[in-house]
Amino acid sequence: MDDKTRDSDPSALTGRADRELDASALKGLAHPVRLRLLELLDRHGPATATQLAARTGENSGSTSYHLRQLARHGLIEEVSGRGKGKERWWRSRRFGFDGDRFRRDPETAQAAELLLAELLRKRNAELSRWLEESRTTPREWVEATVNLHTVMRMTREELAGLVREISRVVDAHHEKVRDREESAPGTARVIINFDAFPIGLGGQEPPE
């Protein structure tokens, strides 16, 4: 996603997206099984249809079909050089989409609302899971984390600039580690969420 897209799309979900969703991809993703498969690939890393079937309770034929649909829309990709015979390993790709535009279009509003609600549910679940896991997580890892909440008064241009600056930092780190092996010593899968949005501009005052 380039700077111009980030400037005009404050509801984009990632920094430099591997895939910018169009209406077809959005509708293709708005399916409970596909959303679950994508969530598992994000959380656990590359997997096969058989492994994902065991985690979801679906049969491997079903997961294989839904993985192919996700791949058709560019939301996941096959991991080259991994697997034996016909075994196929898949990994997720970062994506962004103009949630506001799709919500305002009657043709895509339902799919957009479903996806946004699922992303919010996923973030809440991740935070709840971390709250529990952090009780027994090694202290040196806990000390390296952050839960930051800040409120400041900004112009639209300042907000857009802040988003660009943080996105560049995340993008740079992602490029350095995106091909790192899952078994690399001393590593863990790290979730990074960043939200920055104005309040009180939608015709309603925020609650006290």
Side-chain angles (χ1 to χ4, degrees):
M1 185 183 302
D2 58 27
D3 291 344
K4 181 178 179 181
T5 303
R6 290 197 196 112
D7 238 2
S8 61
D9 177 18
S11 51
L13 300 175
T14 61
R16 183 184 301 142
D18 295 324
R19 173 77 162 94
E20 184 69 19
L21 300 193
D22 54 22
S24 176
L26 176 67
K27 292 178 180 179
L29 177 57
H31 185 287
V33 174
R34 293 171 198 172
L35 288 169
R36 178 62 175 151
L37 294 177
L38 198 58
E39 179 180 7
L40 289 170
L41 289 174
D42 275 341
R43 183 182 177 193
H44 299 289
T48 67
T50 301
Q51 292 170 335
L52 291 168
R55 288 173 175 165
T56 60
E58 298 285 325
N59 61 63
S60 59
S62 173
T63 55
S64 181
Y65 167 76
H66 288 297
L67 287 167
R68 289 197 302 272
Q69 295 305 305
L70 289 170
R72 184 168 71 88
H73 291 295
L75 297 168
I76 64 173
E77 63 185 3
E78 190 170 359
V79 182
S80 60
R82 188 168 182 175
K84 300 177 181 178
K86 296 182 179 180
E87 185 180 62
R88 305 177 75 181
W89 286 75
W90 301 95
R91 66 181 175 188
S92 61
R93 302 179 71 201
R94 293 199 298 173
F95 67 87
F97 78 108
D98 190 338
D100 181 63
R101 178 170 65 85
F102 286 132
R103 292 172 81 190
R104 294 170 189 259
D105 184 342
E107 294 295 319
T108 54
Q110 183 176 1
E113 293 286 358
L114 174 64
L115 181 52
L116 288 168
E118 173 61 18
L119 291 169
L120 181 59
R121 182 208 63 77
K122 179 182 174 183
R123 288 190 179 188
N124 288 335
E126 289 168 347
L127 287 172
S128 295
R129 189 182 303 119
W130 164 241
L131 183 63
E132 290 302 314
E133 288 184 2
S134 63
R135 300 177 190 275
T136 54
T137 298
R139 180 165 174 76
E140 61 268 23
W141 277 93
V142 176
E143 290 176 337
T145 68
V146 64
N147 293 106
L148 176 65
H149 176 77
T150 302
V151 180
M152 61 185 82
R153 183 163 291 277
M154 309 178 77
T155 65
R156 195 210 74 87
E157 290 75 16
E158 289 168 339
L159 172 59
L162 174 64
V163 171
R164 284 196 302 271
E165 186 175 345
I166 293 176
S167 295
R168 287 189 186 112
V169 172
V170 174
D171 289 342
H173 282 272
H174 185 261
E175 287 301 312
K176 287 194 297 185
V177 304
R178 67 180 302 168
D179 294 321
R180 181 173 287 166
E181 292 292 331
E182 292 294 310
S183 58
T187 67
R189 294 188 71 79
V190 176
I191 294 172
I192 301 169
N193 287 322
F194 169 58
D195 301 295
F197 51 86
I199 56 176
L201 298 180
Q204 295 182 346
E205 288 296 319
E208 296 296 333

